[in-house]
Amino acid sequence: MLPYINPNHFHHHNSHNTTNFNSEAMEDQFDVIVIGAGVMGSSTAYQTSKRRLKTLLLEQFDFLHHRGSSHGESRTTRATYPEDYYSGMVLESSRLWRQAESEAGYQVCFATRQLDIGPSDNKALLAVVDSCRKNSIAVAVLKRRQLLEEFSGMFDIPEDWIGVVTQHGGVIKPTKAVAMFQTLALRNGAVLRDNAEVVGISRDGRTNEIVVATAGGMTYRGRKCVITAGPWTRKLVKKARGIDLPIQPLETAVHYWKVKEGLEGKFTIESGFPTFASYGEPYIYGTPSLEFPGLVKIPVHAGRACDPEDRTWGAPPVLVDALRAWIKGRFGDMIDVAKPVLTQSCMYSMTPDEDFVIDFLGGEFGEDGVVCGGFSGHGFKMAPVVGRVAADLVESGRAEGVELTRFSVGRFDGEKRNGNVKDFDDQVMSH
């Protein structure tokens, strides 16, 4: 049963009057309050506002800040997952990215092929091939000589490695993508507030509304609430529900390396250079030269467990050494491995099984609260589908097309708290 809904809550706030409030009441009553304006929250606000739900998007820092997981110049997109339940989500997201881009009038995703490499007996890489076949994704499995031929001698691998090539790769511009979702949400009549740290989330037993209080002394009332707070999700859920979700923030470092002079053109999307991932230890990934001409992004998929407020903003030398050796092995002298030219800090929000959390908040919030978090270093590309699912859950209490049992809060109940069982090693290393 839905609680009594004040019909005024459904008054659509059109884009012409979002900044002119006649009264406090106009400002603080919403259909949906989204907490956290990274890519997930911004995508959710875009989706809910598109459905004419009066939406408030709250951000504790400045919009487009660099303290979470949604900033920077590039993220990869790929449909090659060892877990077969992610591929469909990626394909739906690709369609939704294009739809949002057409509404905004500019591009945030740049397509290229995806190349996955690793030892021919690596369980995760073999699971990737199975997953592609199960999801009818065209995949080519190449040996060393074929791979050298396919990519014009750009990627060298050991004889006992294989290359897995699919068409569903690409680079997403993260800060631009978040700004796009926020722009579209604003255009759809959403209210956006930054520097509004949430300090309380509770249920008003009298009106059944969810009350969200911010550090600035404001309180907002909503029929529904969505928590998409990245590395701060665990703290907010604990504050609201008193349960401890095992979402561990990791601080990770992204490295850019200089391409040897005269070879810069070979590392671009235009020349057919792919987004790529290398399985095994360490798991390494990379993107074509795009945001910084003449530089190529190649980091280790790893991080240091931390509190989101306690960052070093650096990278451990031992990881950089492993990375240098790997780059030398794959690209020879085409990339200067002396030292990375640029290093940027980012955050992952890890769950024990590296699967997402997308579920109802439960407890006194029941199905009126939704939590989306624990994206474990591989969620950005799927922000459009996460926003779509969150909006479905808010609007109707159910979402089609995504296997949400995999992403339930309840999978961490019990003694082990390990979540979904996998028959291959973790992809992200903690150091």
Side-chain angles (χ1 to χ4, degrees):
M1 275 283 289
L2 273 175
Y4 167 73
I5 297 162
N6 180 336
N8 293 333
H9 287 188
F10 282 96
H11 166 72
H12 178 57
H13 211 47
N14 72 42
S15 53
H16 299 299
N17 62 2
T18 50
T19 52
N20 300 317
F21 298 109
N22 299 326
S23 68
E24 278 300 300
M26 276 292 285
E27 181 179 359
D28 70 4
Q29 292 185 315
F30 295 89
D31 295 326
V32 190
I33 300 175
V34 182
I35 301 168
V39 75
M40 298 303 177
S42 299
S43 169
T44 300
Y46 156 65
Q47 286 283 347
T48 56
S49 61
K50 195 173 177 169
R51 299 165 193 220
R52 296 292 181 252
L53 296 173
K54 190 178 166 193
T55 301
L56 171 67
L57 179 62
L58 295 175
E59 168 55 54
Q60 65 173 327
F61 304 123
D62 284 305
F63 287 133
L64 309 181
H65 65 83
H66 283 227
R67 293 173 64 173
S69 310
S70 293
H71 61 281
E73 297 307 317
S74 65
R75 295 287 186 282
T76 59
T77 182
R78 61 187 165 95
T80 46
Y81 269 91
E83 304 93 344
D84 56 39
Y85 42 92
Y86 284 118
S87 300
M89 292 175 72
V90 174
L91 297 181
E92 183 185 348
S93 268
S94 296
R95 293 193 295 276
L96 293 173
W97 279 118
R98 288 194 293 274
Q99 189 181 339
E101 285 175 326
S102 72
E103 290 172 27
Y106 50 82
Q107 200 176 348
V108 298
C109 302
F110 300 84
T112 186
R113 287 181 293 174
Q114 168 71 16
L115 168 65
D116 294 283
I117 58 174
S120 58
D121 61 353
N122 181 283
K123 278 185 170 181
L125 187 53
L126 294 173
V128 161
V129 177
D130 287 344
S131 170
C132 284
R133 289 177 177 153
K134 184 176 174 182
N135 285 287
S136 304
I137 292 167
V139 60
V141 180
L142 309 178
K143 294 193 166 137
R144 177 176 177 254
R145 190 175 295 280
Q146 296 168 305
L147 187 70
L148 281 165
E149 208 171 283
E150 183 69 29
F151 290 98
S152 314
M154 292 296 288
F155 278 88
D156 199 1
I157 56 172
E159 286 291 349
D160 60 345
W161 279 33
I162 53 170
V164 176
V165 185
T166 61
Q167 296 302 314
H168 301 283
V171 181
I172 305 166
K173 294 271 196 176
T175 301
K176 190 179 180 185
V178 177
M180 175 184 73
F181 285 133
Q182 291 176 2
T183 301
L184 293 172
L186 199 59
R187 190 190 289 172
N188 293 336
V191 176
L192 277 62
R193 292 274 178 272
D194 66 355
N195 292 300
E197 183 194 352
V198 170
V199 293
I201 309 169
S202 57
R203 170 82 93 172
D204 183 331
R206 189 177 53 82
T207 64
N208 245 340
E209 292 168 316
I210 294 172
V211 182
V212 176
T214 66
M218 290 295 293
T219 58
Y220 301 97
R221 290 173 171 269
R223 209 167 49 81
K224 303 284 176 101
C225 167
V226 183
I227 298 174
T228 52
W232 290 269
T233 299
R234 183 178 196 160
K235 287 181 179 176
L236 274 178
V237 169
K238 197 165 190 181
K239 195 183 288 274
R241 275 260 7 238
I243 57 172
D244 190 24
L245 274 182
I247 297 176
Q248 174 60 57
L250 291 193
E251 180 176 33
T252 182
V254 172
H255 302 292
Y256 289 88
W257 307 80
K258 186 153 182 49
V259 175
K260 202 167 180 187
E261 215 164 307
L263 299 177
E264 295 91 347
K266 290 180 177 292
F267 286 85
T268 63
I269 287 176
E270 291 72 26
S271 70
F273 194 80
T275 43
F276 62 87
S278 179
Y279 283 69
E281 279 197 27
Y283 182 109
I284 287 163
Y285 68 99
T287 61
S289 180
L290 182 66
E291 54 267 38
F292 301 112
L295 303 186
V296 62
K297 174 175 143 179
I298 310 175
V300 179
H301 204 30
R304 176 191 77 91
C306 70
D307 182 278
E309 307 295 347
D310 170 33
R311 307 270 292 273
T312 65
W313 305 96
V318 60
L319 272 191
V320 180
D321 288 344
L323 196 47
R324 286 166 63 190
W326 183 92
I327 294 170
K328 187 91 175 146
R330 303 296 74 78
F331 299 109
D333 294 328
M334 289 189 278
I335 293 174
D336 180 0
V337 295
K339 65 177 197 308
V341 181
L342 271 176
T343 298
Q344 296 174 338
S345 180
C346 193
M347 296 279 272
Y348 292 167
S349 299
M350 303 303 301
T351 59
D353 54 15
E354 299 190 9
D355 285 327
F356 305 162
V357 173
I358 306 173
D359 201 356
F360 295 115
L361 200 47
E364 64 171 326
F365 300 96
E367 295 192 353
D368 292 340
V370 172
V371 58
C372 303
F375 291 100
S376 302
H378 65 100
F380 198 100
K381 68 183 81 64
M382 286 183 256
V385 76
V386 172
R388 190 274 292 171
V389 167
D392 282 353
L393 294 177
V394 157
E395 192 177 38
S396 68
R398 48 204 296 268
E400 302 293 333
V402 173
E403 214 179 315
L404 288 179
T405 49
R406 300 275 186 186
F407 306 140
S408 72
V409 167
R411 74 184 193 268
F412 302 118
D413 292 347
E415 282 175 31
K416 290 192 175 172
R417 286 172 67 83
N418 290 333
N420 299 318
V421 176
K422 312 277 175 93
D423 59 358
F424 46 82
D425 293 335
D426 288 347
Q427 303 302 292
V428 180
M429 219 168 46
S430 186
H431 57 76

